[in-house]
Amino acid sequence: MFDVSFIPAFKDNYIWLLTRGDRAFVVDPGDAEPVLRRLAADRLSLEGILITHHHADHQGGVAELKKRFPVEVFAPEAESITGCTRPLRGGESIAVLGQQVSVMAVPGHTLGHLAYHAPGRLFCGDTLFGAGCGRLFEGTPAQMAASLDSIAALPDDTLIYCAHEYTEMNLRFALAVEPENPALLQRVGKVAAQRAAGLPSVPSTLGEEKATNPFLRCAEAAVIAAGMRHAGFAENAATAAIVPSRTEIFAAIRSWRNSF
Ligand code: ZN
Ligand code: FE
């Protein structure tokens, strides 16, 4: 299995660096410069690039990296990706540094968005974040909710390598949704300590996200109540004329987050 470390980019992006000996892959190189610096410093040769979606902060460095290394570029077929050599739609199995990695279609943030699942590790771009999820730029709440369901079905000890350091901000919102969730209160303290020490708050585990991330908790009573309050449904689900679906709760929580 490859090792994973991060290359910080822009204000809050993480470019994940996968290495095995002197061979490397990167995930979502939005900027080539910090990647080239790291490859040179560690004497690594870049063999491949995994792209989750088309936004510039995820693919902006591909063209420059391709000039320096003869790389394979794995990317969503449904999106416009510079230099893509291996178009993917989800459901494929690909080889990454000798390891089988399965490709998941996770539409929502964008329509072609992919996640890459290696045993025990998920590279999920802007779909699932620490204590949050990506904005719905292209997909519907139903699509994003289904994508998050497919991620939630992975083993709880799966490490979640998302593409941004958004956890602290997301936790503030999560607390507004579930002020009395003890796992959430504990995570707030843990992440504050990590950030104060200059450490990343990611990867988290899927189990931790399931215990604290409101977007994975739309079937929990406290999240349903908060979502209904926000969406203007009657507060008591038992007496409400219309009982919202889990997707409607997800949509209400997501739209509340947009204006939080
Ligand atoms: Zn994005
Ligand atoms: Fe992004």
Side-chain angles (χ1 to χ4, degrees):
M1 176 64 93
F2 47 73
D3 292 321
V4 183
S5 58
F6 67 91
I7 301 170
F10 308 119
K11 190 167 151 274
D12 51 32
N13 282 70
Y14 291 124
I15 298 170
W16 297 107
L17 174 67
L18 321 183
T19 57
R20 190 168 201 168
D22 61 358
R23 303 161 58 199
F25 264 61
V26 283
V27 184
D28 285 354
D31 191 5
E33 197 270 333
V35 175
L36 289 168
R37 233 186 310 132
R38 177 71 177 273
L39 293 172
D42 292 0
R43 299 175 182 280
L44 297 167
S45 103
L46 188 67
E47 289 188 5
I49 294 173
L50 306 179
I51 298 290
T52 62
H53 68 292
H54 67 88
H55 289 158
D57 64 312
H58 298 255
Q59 67 152 324
V62 173
E64 186 63 29
L65 292 171
K66 276 193 83 167
K67 281 190 215 156
R68 315 289 189 93
F69 295 94
V71 290
E72 283 266 54
V73 180
F74 299 83
E77 176 181 71
E79 300 189 353
S80 167
I81 310 289
T82 308
C84 175
T85 59
R86 293 284 301 275
L88 302 166
R89 46 178 39 185
E92 300 89 347
S93 178
I94 62 174
V96 174
L97 303 172
Q99 174 69 55
Q100 285 306 115
V101 168
S102 49
V103 183
M104 298 169 67
V106 287
H109 179 68
T110 65
L111 285 175
H113 203 302
L114 300 175
Y116 297 91
H117 179 224
R121 289 161 165 168
L122 183 74
F123 300 90
C124 56
D126 290 357
T127 297
L128 180 64
F129 289 128
C133 77
R135 272 176 192 267
L136 305 184
F137 283 119
E138 298 174 13
T140 63
Q143 284 175 316
M144 185 59 129
S147 295
L148 294 176
D149 280 349
S150 67
I151 290 174
L154 300 174
D156 275 359
D157 61 358
T158 305
L159 294 167
I160 304 297
Y161 293 92
C162 61
H164 290 272
E165 180 61 61
Y166 287 162
T167 317
E168 256 187 326
M169 202 178 8
N170 287 338
L171 283 170
R172 283 199 284 278
F173 175 72
L175 268 182
V177 179
E178 283 191 289
E180 284 162 25
N181 175 344
L184 183 53
L185 292 166
Q186 195 183 24
R187 189 175 186 188
V188 168
K190 176 181 145 184
V191 169
Q194 287 172 321
R195 300 304 295 146
L199 299 170
S201 67
V202 293
S204 58
T205 64
L206 180 59
E208 197 175 10
E209 296 304 334
K210 282 159 85 172
T212 58
N213 188 321
F215 299 101
L216 296 182
R217 296 172 59 75
C218 293
E220 295 292 324
V223 179
I224 293 171
M228 287 178 75
R229 261 195 316 276
H230 187 77
F233 285 99
E235 235 185 90
N236 185 345
T239 60
I242 304 162
V243 177
S245 69
R246 202 166 58 96
T247 298
E248 286 173 312
I249 295 298
F250 173 81
I253 300 286
R254 185 56 256 183
S255 93
W256 178 11
R257 175 67 179 86
N258 290 347
S259 57
F260 185 74

